[in-house]
Amino acid sequence: MSASQPAGSASIFQTVLKWVVLQFLFLFYHPFVCFLFPQNNSIKTSKYNFFTFLPLNLFEQFQRIANAYFLFLLILQLIPQVSSLSWFTTVVPLVLVLTVSGAKDAIDDFVTSLGRFFCGCVSSYRPGFICVQADLLLLSSSEPHSLTYIETAELDGETNLKVKQALTVTAELGENLQKLTDFNGEVKCEAPNNKLDKFTGTLTLHGEKFALDNEKMLLRGCTIRNTEWCFGLVIYAGPDTKLMQNCGKTTFKRTSIDRLMNVLVLVVSLINLSSLLQPCSSLQSAPPSFLTNEGTSKGTNEKKKNARKFMFYDHSLVEAVKLDDAATHRFFRLLSLCHTVMPEEKKAGNLVYQAQSPDEGALVTAARNFGFVFRARTPETITVVEMGETKVYELLAILDFNNVRKRMSVIVRSPEGDLTLYCKGADTIVYELLDASCESLKEETMEHLNEFAGEGLRTLVVAYKNLQEDYFEEWHKRHHEASTALDEREEKLSELYEEIEKDLMLLGATAIEDKLQDGVPQTIETLAKAHIKIWVLTGDKQETAVNIGYSCNMLHDDMKDVFIIEGHTSEAVLDELRTARKKMNPDSFLDSDEINIKFENPSMKSRILPEEQANGVYGLVINGHSLAYALEGNLELELVRTACMCKVVICCRVTPLQKAQVVELVKKYKKAVTLAIGDGANDVSMIKTAHIGVGISGQEGMQAVLSSDFSFAQFRYLQRLLLVHGRWSYIRMCKFLRYFFYKNFAFTLVHFWYGFFSGFSAQTVYDQWFITLYNLVYTSLPVLGMSLFDQDVDDRWSMQFPHLYEPGQQNLYFNKIEFVKCVLHGIYSSLILFFIPYGAMYDAVRSDGKAIADYQSFALMAQTCLLIVVSVQIGLDTAYWTAVNQFFIWGSLSVYFAIIFTMYSDGMYLIFTASFPFIGTARNTLSQPNVWLAIFLSIILCVLPVVGGRFLKAQLMPTVSDKSVSRGLGLRSVRVLPGLAPGTRLRRTSTRRSGYAFSHQHGFGALIMSGRNMRPKLPFTTTGTFSPNSEKNKHK
Amino acid sequence: MKNKNSQGAQESPSRCPDNSAFKQQKLPAWKPKLTAPTVLSSFFTIGVFCLLVGICLILYARSVKEIQINYSDICLNCSKLRENSSNWDKECNCSVYFTLQENMLGDVFMYYRLQNFYQNHRRYVLSRSDAQLLGQDVNIQNSNCAPFTIYPNGTPMAPCGAIANSMFNDSIQLFYYLNSSTAIKVPLLKSGNSWWSDKNVKFRNPTSYNLSSAFAGTTRPPYWQKPAYLLDEEDERNNGYINDDFIIWMRVSAFPTFRNLYRHLRHTNQFADGLPAGNYTFHITYNFPVTKFKGEKQVVLSTSTWSGGSNLFLGIAYTVSGAVIVLAGFIITAIHLKLRKKKTYFQR
């Protein structure tokens, strides 16, 4: 039992002690917690409290049929007429197992709930940021027009800034506390629900009704940025908040082996006549074959190159800037002017950019590093410090970004009076608009662009155009008209934009690398090799998600097709899914298809779908709103079938709950183990739903980590978790279970054979003490040692050969067939272990003529045979003999002999006459040569067939592991050891170009131009140089 | 890379697992592999060893002289008489004649052998009071002795329990015919047949000025003909609970067919070297009924050797196992060589 929880039982006492201390702390602090958070609004994040712990935990523990079975056994043993054994043979192990598991559960739950309690407010400890704790209706804020900036990373994983605006009527309240207290309105809103992007309600104030929507809501979990203060009205609190509605329930996770164990124990209890198995509880083990993945891109690291004249090395760019190269200056000026970034300077000298998309932020920061510092903006001006010289540009127009245009422009007037249009956008788009005069540069840039794209960088092309004063005047007038037009405003505006954005002069190109965490593409590639299916569930926009897909090497050009599901109705989604499936596998629509047959016949209970093969490699991208339809009743089957045929599935714009639903869907229809990995609070429900939840401890708080089963700091560690530790753990668990069943069958079935010779009177073969101690003392530590340390292949090999992971996915090492093998092996051993001692003792005498065939001698001989045989067997099963294993195995055997000689001694008998009737048996029996000859023969007959069988199996039907080991042995002799893959960047031969992955909202430009988001008092003071780079340059 | 690690360690030292071989699962280890040389050599060595041991054991077991006589068949009259328990007080004697073809040299042991007597039945095994047998004054009603604890009149049984009650109570004497008319009694020892630990530690008589007073207030078990303190009136050291016959009977057998040591030869006069060949007779006082449970009784005379008695099982088992193991060794070698050839063929 203990080996199943290696970590736990290694320090049982320590753990118990900790638990006691924690319980005490909990009791002590509980009143304070209750005081701070009144009961009705408090959120219950823990499973237990002090009073419900014992009943609830026992209930959960007895869900393990093994434990329930032993409880039943115990009750039976209390009836003397039924029992063949004393009650302590069952009570001692059962109580020990229950105590250890109970203590572990209590600590887990307590730590988790403590953590959750803190984590809700964890971000408020960071200076300057306030974490919202309830769903609020925004009333007023410090910013103009009562705007409030928020970050919703905890909610949907997006790190960019969002703007919320209060109603004008409430904005008037300002920070006047008197007015706020007198505020008397009535809010009618919908019932609490889990939709993060929708809210409908009305506010009745002074008899007037105002419509409320999501734009006025601050949801629990979001962080307020760039805002001094704001006031809100609590709409939903506690468990009613949208965040909590999106959180799944904490459930008791059990593994597939656990479930199999439940079935097996049922079987065992049916066939087990003498009822001597010991309690067993097993823990997390099964390796996942599905993987859902979130948040691979953490910040974008820019890497930009001017393709005009310069080489790709940054230092040549620096040189060019210093040499006052006009084109280079213009290039960086463009980057510092053409964007919608908001500067923020809370403390002097600490300039922070609030960018709507990370790409924009990266470009502006790059310009800053080259000496073109964007300092401040007003609706009419942009202040830039160019090489130490402050310049104020007049901002005349922002030609905003949208998904069709895939570009944005600004029109500015420089302090010198030049009128210029700066434009940046997707290369394919901007190239169409270029002036004919820059043909040669165009070609050169194209080469560079291809090179960038080949490296997987996201490219943008930047261009400019000098404008004529009179033309612009006229255009500006038309622009003003169009922007105030009542109908077809968008069309009119884009026409105008098209008109002015042409004959542009090419300036160069920028390339942005999605700085994924180290080793993400390699990890994904390796995991794919291990036949793990990867689904990406992200709150990001489709473009961003697809880009990340490409940069992670999940999507690539070798794919036959990438389907995009973005229908807005149920029918459209169904249609898109079917079209995709038809393309991938037309046969799946035939009536003869087994799944179609299966689902026409509702009597079939099993919903598990078999694997379907597509005729190539496909990818699938689903939008959040389409996913909402696809997850509804009749469509979910279509979704699963289509999605599972694709190699890669990317779901974008998904809500936390949808993430959990997708995981649930896979769990429901596929015979797969799911693993969810994520780093944000928005991944919590998914992590909880999946069989295995992994939290990445990142910048986004500890929520994900606390609800996870495993957590680490970087995505790439997943590879090691699964391929090395997951695999080892699985193999250890399977070896443990196989050995566990073997040793107990060998032990138990001897009684069955003895039944034929004892009138089926349930006389035990062994001493009661041996029965009590067999699983608890004599055989527990060796198998614990194996479960802690065993490695069939070392970590480098398991990383090198992801295929080694596959047997686990197919459950090859422990399944019903393996179980039957264990049983057969156990039966064989029990036959040997009974009949060899029987034959040796039958009618035999000792060398001094005294009789030897008495019950106690036979019991001692049989138990010694058994113990040595199972010890040799664990020795055979142990592939990795550390000092600890040696100590445990030899130690257990020595302890056995020490214990029997002690228990069968005169002194023990004279003190505890009734408990130790075996007095003298050890020294009388174990001194006989024929006893040892019989023991030796039993060992040989039990062990040699196993040795021969394993050797032949490795020769005739080598497993993946055998092959790699023998290959490894061969390679090792020539000293070619595989190193860990070095962190080289993957070269991609993608022809894919920039997706202009600005994920910012359309219309932000207009917001800037209106000036509504500007503070009246500008924090900016024109003081000297700013950029550290320009300083450095000067010193040079 | 290096830089990063050190930074991480600085930021959160507590979360960093120790870089110990134990925690990093990198303990040095011996990795035994089932390679062809180890497997094959172990098969052949063990096989040959088993063959040799087996042959040795067979030779020694066959050197043991043994004679076994089923007297429940021969003494049919007595067997029938004992079928009816109302005849319990009628004595029944029986003589069994046999001829020893060869001398039985060395130690000679006399056993009684019972067949189909389930001494290992669970409730029978439990039915004793070890404390009582240790001479302690205990209330046997709390023990497992029921129903053989007290008589209806309240007198407790000494010793109590089913095992003691069913004690083997035939008495067997051996006579040697010096010639066709004169027979002399073969000197047989009653004591020294049980384990030292049983005789000196596990069984003790209750203490009193003499044995009969020690057993005062108790009475014999219902099936016994005489009380415990009269089991051996000649030898104080072999009377009461520490009577060897009683001790041996109380050490219950593991199987329904078993032999218990009854007497062993005292080496005097004609019998200094053992039992000489010739005519003998067993004089048996037949008390123990066996036909009721379809059992049989034998009396056995046997010499002994280091490997025990005449039991051939271990010898045969070792020989057969050895042969099979060697054979398996050859088969595995053949398969291994064949596969290796195949492999080299493929490599070319």
Side-chain angles (χ1 to χ4, degrees):
Chain A
M1 66 90 227
S2 42
S4 58
Q5 301 166 340
S9 40
S11 54
I12 295 168
F13 294 110
Q14 216 182 342
T15 322
V16 172
L17 193 73
K18 269 189 207 159
W19 180 63
V20 171
V21 173
L22 284 175
Q23 279 295 344
F24 173 73
L25 278 177
F26 185 69
L27 275 178
F28 186 70
Y29 282 118
H30 194 64
F32 297 103
V33 175
C34 291
F35 173 71
L36 286 172
F37 295 88
Q39 211 59 60
N40 50 353
N41 267 353
S42 74
I43 294 166
K44 193 169 164 280
T45 45
S46 60
K47 271 194 294 190
Y48 310 120
N49 66 31
F50 186 72
F51 299 103
T52 60
F53 171 74
L54 207 63
L56 268 184
N57 183 260
L58 283 181
F59 175 71
E60 283 197 341
Q61 293 219 30
F62 285 119
Q63 282 181 22
R64 288 208 171 96
I65 293 182
N67 290 342
Y69 165 66
F70 284 104
L71 184 71
F72 175 68
L73 212 67
L74 177 63
I75 294 166
L76 282 187
Q77 286 192 344
L78 292 175
I79 309 167
Q81 280 75 22
V82 179
S83 164
S84 62
L85 288 168
S86 317
W87 54 273
F88 61 80
T89 52
T90 305
V91 168
V92 176
L94 185 66
V95 166
L96 199 80
V97 166
L98 291 182
T99 318
V100 173
S101 328
K104 187 189 146 290
D105 286 352
I107 292 166
D108 282 0
D109 185 59
F110 185 64
V111 170
T112 314
S113 64
L114 252 193
R116 273 188 214 137
F117 169 66
F118 284 129
C119 104
C121 330
V122 77
S123 26
S124 59
Y125 293 141
R126 281 190 270 158
F129 303 133
I130 295 160
C131 170
V132 180
Q133 289 296 329
D135 290 356
L136 306 174
L137 170 67
L138 181 61
L139 293 178
S140 63
S141 85
S142 58
E143 304 305 294
H145 305 275
S146 282
L147 289 179
T148 302
Y149 299 90
I150 55 163
E151 199 177 79
T152 55
E154 300 243 317
L155 277 169
D156 54 18
E158 287 193 324
T159 46
N160 56 335
L161 225 49
K162 292 194 177 75
V163 185
K164 301 277 171 174
Q165 189 176 15
L167 280 171
T168 338
V169 272
T170 59
E172 288 163 3
L173 298 169
E175 49 184 331
N176 186 329
L177 281 181
Q178 189 57 44
K179 272 192 192 170
L180 279 166
T181 14
D182 293 345
F183 178 73
N184 186 12
E186 188 188 37
V187 175
K188 277 190 184 166
C189 62
E190 57 194 347
N193 58 51
N194 54 34
K195 287 176 187 138
L196 287 174
D197 51 352
K198 279 217 172 71
F199 176 79
T200 49
T202 52
L203 170 69
T204 318
L205 195 64
H206 314 306
E208 228 179 311
K209 273 195 175 180
F210 302 93
L212 302 177
D213 57 18
N214 199 39
E215 286 306 297
K216 297 161 186 68
M217 294 295 292
L218 303 179
L219 300 183
R220 179 188 163 116
C222 62
T223 318
I224 295 172
R225 312 286 290 261
N226 287 17
T227 310
E228 298 270 293
W229 52 261
C230 64
F231 285 96
L233 179 71
V234 176
I235 304 285
Y236 304 119
D240 292 342
T241 56
K242 302 218 174 204
L243 178 70
M244 293 316 283
Q245 295 272 319
N246 262 299
C247 270
K249 243 191 148 180
T250 307
T251 49
F252 192 58
K253 282 189 186 178
R254 42 179 75 245
T255 64
S256 53
I257 286 188
D258 230 14
R259 283 189 295 270
L260 181 63
M261 279 284 293
N262 272 355
V263 178
L264 291 182
V265 171
L266 261 186
V267 177
V268 170
S269 61
L270 288 177
I271 63 168
N272 185 357
L273 292 172
S274 316
S275 329
L276 289 155
L277 276 174
Q278 295 287 317
C280 163
S281 64
S282 75
L283 216 82
Q284 309 294 354
S285 67
S289 49
F290 263 75
L291 176 77
T292 46
N293 160 20
E294 213 287 324
T296 45
S297 76
K298 280 291 138 254
T300 42
N301 182 24
E302 57 78 42
K303 176 170 186 175
K304 47 182 296 304
K305 283 140 194 186
N306 186 335
R308 193 162 175 214
K309 280 183 185 164
F310 307 108
M311 299 301 291
F312 306 127
Y313 305 109
D314 284 349
H315 65 82
S316 67
L317 266 176
V318 174
E319 292 296 312
V321 172
K322 273 201 284 187
L323 291 172
D324 272 351
D325 182 272
T328 317
H329 277 198
R330 186 170 284 138
F331 178 81
F332 286 113
R333 189 173 302 131
L334 182 148
L335 294 185
S336 62
L337 289 173
C338 178
H339 54 77
T340 56
V341 172
M342 295 291 296
E344 187 186 6
E345 195 173 6
K346 284 237 160 105
K347 278 179 272 171
N350 184 13
L351 185 65
V352 181
Y353 292 135
Q354 297 296 344
Q356 278 230 310
S357 86
D359 286 20
E360 277 213 308
L363 290 175
V364 177
T365 313
R368 168 180 165 179
N369 290 345
F370 281 101
F372 288 77
V373 186
F374 165 62
R375 287 303 302 268
R377 71 156 80 238
T378 68
E380 293 87 27
T381 61
I382 296 176
T383 312
V384 179
V385 183
E386 284 182 11
M387 306 301 291
E389 181 189 344
T390 304
K391 285 186 175 176
V392 179
Y393 287 86
E394 192 183 339
L395 178 62
L396 299 171
I398 295 180
L399 283 59
D400 203 2
F401 168 86
N402 74 27
N403 268 331
V404 185
R405 284 162 39 78
K406 293 192 185 227
R407 62 182 185 269
M408 75 164 289
S409 307
V410 291
I411 300 171
V412 292
R413 196 195 305 276
S414 70
E416 293 84 27
D418 298 333
L419 203 57
T420 320
L421 177 142
Y422 292 106
C423 175
K424 66 175 176 188
D427 47 7
T428 43
I429 305 281
V430 177
Y431 260 50
E432 301 292 309
L433 311 170
L434 291 181
D435 192 68
S437 63
C438 42
E439 200 59 48
S440 66
L441 188 59
K442 223 167 134 179
E443 260 170 43
E444 197 185 336
T445 312
M446 184 52 97
E447 267 173 41
H448 292 304
L449 281 172
N450 284 337
E451 204 165 325
F452 294 150
E455 285 178 44
L457 307 177
R458 270 210 311 284
T459 54
L460 284 181
V461 169
V462 296
Y464 78 103
K465 180 188 180 181
N466 288 319
L467 295 176
Q468 298 301 317
E469 197 69 46
D470 43 354
Y471 170 70
F472 176 73
E473 282 302 323
E474 187 258 339
W475 183 87
H476 200 119
K477 203 177 285 167
R478 282 193 286 144
H479 177 246
H480 185 73
E481 276 166 24
S483 57
T484 50
L486 287 175
D487 46 29
E488 293 183 343
R489 187 193 299 168
E490 292 291 313
E491 286 76 16
K492 282 179 184 165
L493 276 176
S494 64
E495 260 173 49
L496 272 175
Y497 292 168
E498 295 254 337
E499 185 195 314
I500 201 161
E501 285 171 333
K502 60 185 176 195
D503 301 329
L504 304 173
M505 301 299 292
L506 183 60
L507 260 178
T510 65
I512 292 178
E513 184 191 0
D514 258 327
K515 178 70 176 173
L516 300 166
Q517 280 188 354
D518 280 351
V520 170
Q522 288 90 342
T523 304
I524 287 176
E525 204 180 317
T526 321
L527 295 183
K529 267 193 212 153
H531 285 250
I532 295 171
K533 285 201 170 181
I534 300 171
W535 292 28
V536 179
L537 311 175
T538 171
D540 284 339
K541 293 185 78 172
Q542 186 182 323
E543 291 81 6
T544 321
V546 171
N547 264 322
I548 292 169
Y550 275 98
S551 52
C552 291
N553 232 12
M554 282 189 292
L555 297 172
H556 45 80
D557 292 334
D558 300 341
M559 284 188 157
K560 264 189 153 173
D561 202 352
V562 175
F563 305 109
I564 294 178
I565 312 288
E566 46 190 354
H568 281 275
T569 60
S570 186
E571 291 75 35
V573 173
L574 177 66
D575 197 47
E576 282 172 325
L577 286 172
R578 288 224 159 138
T579 318
R581 183 150 65 92
K582 196 162 237 163
K583 186 163 178 196
M584 288 190 286
N585 184 358
D587 291 348
S588 70
F589 285 93
L590 298 176
D591 283 343
S592 59
D593 186 74
E594 66 176 308
I595 302 177
N596 293 343
I597 295 171
K598 192 170 171 178
F599 279 85
E600 271 165 25
N601 184 359
S603 65
M604 305 272 282
K605 282 243 170 102
S606 160
R607 289 177 304 189
I608 302 298
L609 296 177
E611 207 60 39
E612 288 181 283
Q613 286 303 324
N615 55 12
V617 181
Y618 292 93
L620 181 74
V621 177
I622 310 179
N623 242 311
H625 52 82
S626 312
L627 191 63
Y629 294 112
L631 288 172
E632 275 166 14
N634 49 342
L635 254 72
E636 60 177 26
L637 186 63
E638 286 291 332
L639 174 67
V640 172
R641 291 186 67 179
T642 310
C644 287
M645 274 193 234
C646 297
K647 191 155 176 280
V648 169
V649 179
I650 296 178
C651 306
C652 30
R653 279 259 169 251
V654 280
T655 64
L657 196 69
Q658 277 180 336
K659 289 181 184 179
Q661 283 172 334
V662 170
V663 175
E664 196 62 56
L665 188 70
V666 175
K667 274 168 84 175
K668 185 166 149 196
Y669 285 110
K670 285 281 166 182
K671 194 175 165 246
V673 177
T674 53
L675 180 148
I677 177 165
D679 63 349
N682 53 329
D683 303 320
V684 167
S685 56
M686 164 178 93
I687 286 173
K688 279 193 210 155
T689 312
H691 292 108
I692 303 161
V694 180
I696 297 180
S697 49
Q699 308 111 325
E700 300 198 11
M702 294 294 283
Q703 286 258 358
V705 171
L706 287 165
S707 45
S708 65
D709 305 310
F710 298 94
S711 70
F712 37 73
Q714 291 203 20
F715 179 78
R716 70 188 158 107
Y717 298 149
L718 184 63
Q719 190 177 351
R720 204 176 157 82
L721 175 74
L722 293 180
L723 297 188
V724 179
H725 294 288
R727 187 174 168 279
W728 279 347
S729 162
Y730 173 70
I731 287 176
R732 288 165 187 175
M733 186 64 63
C734 292
K735 273 190 172 181
F736 165 77
L737 285 175
R738 283 192 308 222
Y739 178 71
F740 177 84
F741 280 111
Y742 164 74
K743 77 171 176 169
N744 279 296
F745 273 107
F747 169 81
T748 307
L749 289 173
V750 171
H751 293 87
F752 181 72
W753 312 127
Y754 190 48
F756 291 98
F757 297 87
S758 67
F760 297 103
S761 61
Q763 173 63 7
T764 57
V765 177
Y766 311 118
D767 180 12
Q768 295 218 345
W769 287 107
F770 181 79
I771 291 169
T772 312
L773 299 178
Y774 176 66
N775 276 312
L776 211 59
V777 177
Y778 300 144
T779 59
S780 62
L781 286 183
V783 73
L784 173 72
M786 186 194 71
S787 311
L788 281 180
F789 299 111
D790 208 50
Q791 311 181 359
D792 59 336
V793 180
D794 71 14
D795 51 348
R796 282 176 300 185
W797 285 98
S798 14
M799 296 276 262
Q800 196 74 10
F801 298 104
H803 297 292
L804 287 172
Y805 191 71
E806 281 169 46
Q809 290 166 332
Q810 295 153 12
N811 258 336
L812 287 187
Y813 292 140
F814 192 78
N815 48 38
K816 281 169 193 154
I817 293 169
E818 284 298 321
F819 175 71
V820 171
K821 280 190 201 162
C822 292
V823 175
L824 291 177
H825 185 196
I827 292 175
Y828 169 76
S829 290
S830 68
L831 281 170
I832 296 289
L833 289 170
F834 177 73
F835 283 101
I836 296 291
Y838 168 74
M841 283 214 161
Y842 181 80
D843 251 359
V845 292
R846 301 176 4 156
S847 43
D848 60 2
K850 293 172 186 173
I852 201 178
D854 67 290
Y855 167 72
Q856 293 186 341
S857 298
F858 174 71
L860 178 70
M861 181 167 164
Q863 72 196 34
T864 310
C865 281
L866 171 73
L867 197 75
I868 298 181
V869 164
V870 294
S871 299
V872 174
Q873 182 66 38
I874 191 72
L876 272 185
D877 286 347
T878 307
Y880 195 79
W881 285 70
T882 63
V884 182
N885 293 83
Q886 300 271 10
F887 177 72
F888 280 172
I889 291 176
W890 299 116
S892 291
L893 271 178
S894 329
V895 162
Y896 166 72
F897 284 106
I899 287 182
I900 56 166
F901 275 99
T902 313
M903 285 201 307
Y904 301 169
S905 68
D906 301 353
M908 291 296 273
Y909 182 73
L910 294 177
I911 301 167
F912 309 103
T913 308
S915 301
F916 301 102
F918 273 58
I919 175 198
T921 315
R923 58 198 126 128
N924 278 296
T925 306
L926 294 181
S927 61
Q928 295 302 310
N930 52 352
V931 168
W932 285 106
L933 283 172
I935 292 173
F936 183 69
L937 186 64
S938 316
I939 299 166
I940 285 177
L941 290 183
C942 282
V943 170
L944 271 193
V946 180
V947 173
R950 287 195 185 166
F951 178 71
L952 282 184
K953 199 181 162 215
Q955 297 266 311
L956 295 169
M957 298 175 288
T959 59
V960 194
S961 151
D962 290 332
K963 276 180 199 161
S964 77
V965 167
S966 57
R967 221 174 122 190
L969 286 173
L971 281 181
R972 208 160 292 178
S973 58
V974 292
R975 286 168 182 264
V976 186
L977 277 171
L980 291 176
T984 50
R985 222 154 53 80
L986 282 184
R987 285 218 146 235
R988 287 183 291 264
T989 49
S990 170
T991 54
R992 189 187 154 81
R993 283 291 180 63
S994 67
Y996 199 132
F998 283 176
S999 61
H1000 66 229
Q1001 294 158 310
H1002 167 66
F1004 210 72
L1007 192 65
I1008 291 174
M1009 288 303 285
S1010 72
R1012 278 192 295 150
N1013 62 343
M1014 304 291 166
R1015 227 169 279 208
K1017 38 171 177 108
L1018 274 174
F1020 172 65
T1021 45
T1022 44
T1023 46
T1025 56
F1026 189 82
S1027 161
N1029 271 23
S1030 53
E1031 287 277 344
K1032 235 184 263 169
N1033 295 342
K1034 271 179 194 165
H1035 286 297
K1036 270 186 186 173
Chain B
M1 199 63 192
K2 232 180 191 175
N3 210 353
K4 219 177 221 171
N5 280 347
S6 62
Q7 255 183 6
Q10 268 176 3
E11 278 164 18
S12 51
S14 62
R15 301 174 59 84
C16 230
D18 295 346
N19 193 19
S20 61
F22 176 77
K23 286 215 173 159
Q24 299 294 331
Q25 298 259 314
K26 279 178 180 156
L27 283 180
W30 172 53
K31 290 171 243 177
K33 294 265 146 53
L34 287 181
T35 55
T38 51
V39 171
L40 293 176
S41 62
S42 62
F43 262 78
F44 286 118
T45 338
I46 293 173
V48 170
F49 174 77
C50 285
L51 268 178
L52 291 177
V53 171
I55 290 164
C56 266
L57 282 173
I58 290 177
L59 291 179
Y60 275 103
R62 300 201 71 168
S63 75
V64 170
K65 304 273 184 307
E66 185 178 283
I67 185 156
Q68 187 170 322
I69 293 159
N70 187 334
Y71 69 91
S72 56
D73 283 353
I74 296 169
C75 310
L76 261 181
N77 299 336
C78 292
S79 299
K80 289 235 169 83
L81 185 78
R82 291 289 168 230
E83 263 174 48
N84 189 345
S85 56
S86 60
N87 298 325
W88 66 272
D89 54 345
K90 287 178 188 157
E91 199 168 289
C92 183
N93 290 311
C94 172
S95 293
V96 179
Y97 301 94
F98 68 99
T99 310
L100 214 55
Q101 305 291 348
E102 292 173 272
N103 292 335
M104 285 177 101
L105 299 178
D107 288 331
V108 179
F109 302 93
M110 187 200 280
Y111 303 90
Y112 61 88
R113 188 172 184 269
L114 290 177
Q115 277 179 309
N116 213 24
F117 189 88
Y118 283 81
Q119 256 202 323
N120 57 4
H121 191 281
R122 181 166 67 90
R123 301 194 57 195
Y124 181 87
V125 171
L126 292 174
S127 185
R128 65 192 285 161
S129 167
D130 281 323
Q132 186 192 38
L133 299 176
L134 200 53
Q136 291 169 355
D137 187 21
V138 287
N139 185 356
I140 51 168
Q141 274 185 288
N142 296 338
S143 71
N144 292 318
C145 284
F148 301 101
T149 46
I150 52 165
Y151 286 99
N153 65 10
T155 342
M157 301 178 191
C160 73
I163 309 177
N165 185 44
S166 62
M167 185 181 154
F168 182 80
N169 54 359
D170 285 0
S171 63
I172 306 168
Q173 289 177 320
L174 181 60
F175 288 88
Y176 172 58
Y177 289 89
L178 287 171
N179 50 50
S180 55
S181 56
T182 44
I184 57 161
K185 196 174 170 186
V186 179
L188 295 172
L189 290 169
K190 286 181 188 175
S191 58
N193 297 332
S194 60
W195 291 2
W196 183 92
S197 56
D198 282 358
K199 180 109 180 169
N200 295 289
V201 184
K202 198 172 182 181
F203 291 84
R204 275 180 204 171
N205 281 322
T207 45
S208 188
Y209 54 93
N210 69 26
L211 206 55
S212 58
S213 69
F215 281 89
T218 62
T219 185
R220 62 181 168 84
Y223 290 3
W224 284 24
Q225 285 148 330
K226 49 191 174 185
Y229 53 88
L230 294 178
L231 281 176
D232 188 349
E233 291 163 70
E234 298 152 20
D235 184 359
E236 184 73 12
R237 291 279 303 122
N238 195 31
N239 204 357
Y241 292 151
I242 54 170
N243 177 269
D244 265 24
D245 290 345
F246 177 67
I247 291 174
I248 286 173
W249 180 258
M250 291 306 284
R251 183 158 280 283
V252 295
S253 158
F255 307 110
T257 298
F258 61 93
R259 56 168 78 176
N260 276 348
L261 184 57
Y262 186 64
R263 299 286 183 263
H264 73 270
L265 182 69
R266 187 169 155 211
H267 295 280
T268 51
N269 304 331
Q270 294 97 325
F271 309 104
D273 300 327
L275 285 181
N279 289 329
Y280 290 85
T281 184
F282 284 121
H283 281 263
I284 298 162
T285 313
Y286 197 117
N287 293 321
F288 195 78
V290 286
T291 41
K292 263 187 182 171
F293 54 88
K294 300 190 185 73
E296 287 181 355
K297 289 192 287 195
Q298 280 107 0
V299 59
V300 181
L301 283 174
S302 173
T303 60
S304 79
T305 174
W306 66 271
S307 63
S310 60
N311 185 349
L312 276 173
F313 174 83
L314 268 185
I316 293 170
Y318 261 100
T319 318
V320 173
S321 308
V324 170
I325 291 167
V326 171
L327 191 69
F330 280 119
I331 293 171
I332 293 174
T333 317
I335 293 173
H336 176 65
L337 289 179
K338 202 177 168 191
L339 282 177
R340 206 172 57 174
K341 257 185 202 163
K342 227 186 202 169
K343 263 184 206 159
T344 48
Y345 174 78
F346 274 120
Q347 274 167 3
R348 271 174 217 161

